[in-house]
């Protein structure tokens, strides 16, 4: 069995790794998690915006306000 971890431990572990941030609107942002705060405000690097699974935009850095976040997860490796 794997060791259980708190959400806070999970978030600390994934800083610097590729993540998917799903917004309440249904839009996904995929990029490298640069940092986040206690309000779930998120800074991403190498950010891509997906709407209905389709790539819409690419951004260098992006800031996402925490109250718009539905969830954050580790991005599966492509390939």
């Amino acid at each position: 069995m794997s060791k259980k971890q708190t959400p806070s431990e999970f978030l600390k572990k994934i800083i610097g790794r590729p993540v998917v941030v799903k917004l309440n609107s249904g839009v996904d942002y995929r990029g490298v998690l640069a940092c986040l705060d206690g309000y779930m405000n998120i800074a991403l690097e190498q950010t891509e915006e997906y709407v209905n699974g389709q790539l819409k935009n690419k951004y260098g850095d992006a800031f996402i306000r925490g109250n718009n976040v539905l969830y954050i997860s580790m991005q599966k490796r492509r390939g």
Side-chain angles (χ1 to χ4, degrees):
M1 264 186 147
S2 64
K3 178 185 170 245
K4 290 185 179 182
Q5 58 184 334
T6 66
S8 179
E9 290 170 337
F10 168 74
L11 292 170
K12 287 178 187 172
K13 184 178 102 174
I14 64 172
I15 291 175
R17 294 189 175 185
V19 296
V20 177
V21 179
K22 178 89 163 185
L23 302 188
N24 296 325
S25 66
V27 176
D28 289 352
Y29 288 91
R30 300 176 190 176
V32 177
L33 181 62
C35 63
L36 62 125
D37 66 12
Y39 297 101
M40 283 294 288
N41 295 317
I42 296 169
L44 293 177
E45 299 171 341
Q46 304 168 31
T47 310
E48 297 175 336
E49 178 184 45
Y50 288 82
V51 179
N52 297 323
Q54 299 271 346
L55 177 63
K56 293 295 178 185
N57 285 304
K58 289 187 177 187
Y59 307 103
D61 296 335
F63 179 81
I64 301 170
R65 189 170 171 189
N67 67 335
N68 295 314
V69 176
L70 181 62
Y71 67 78
I72 181 171
S73 65
M74 286 197 328
Q75 184 174 337
K76 294 179 182 171
R77 293 179 188 242
R78 295 177 187 162

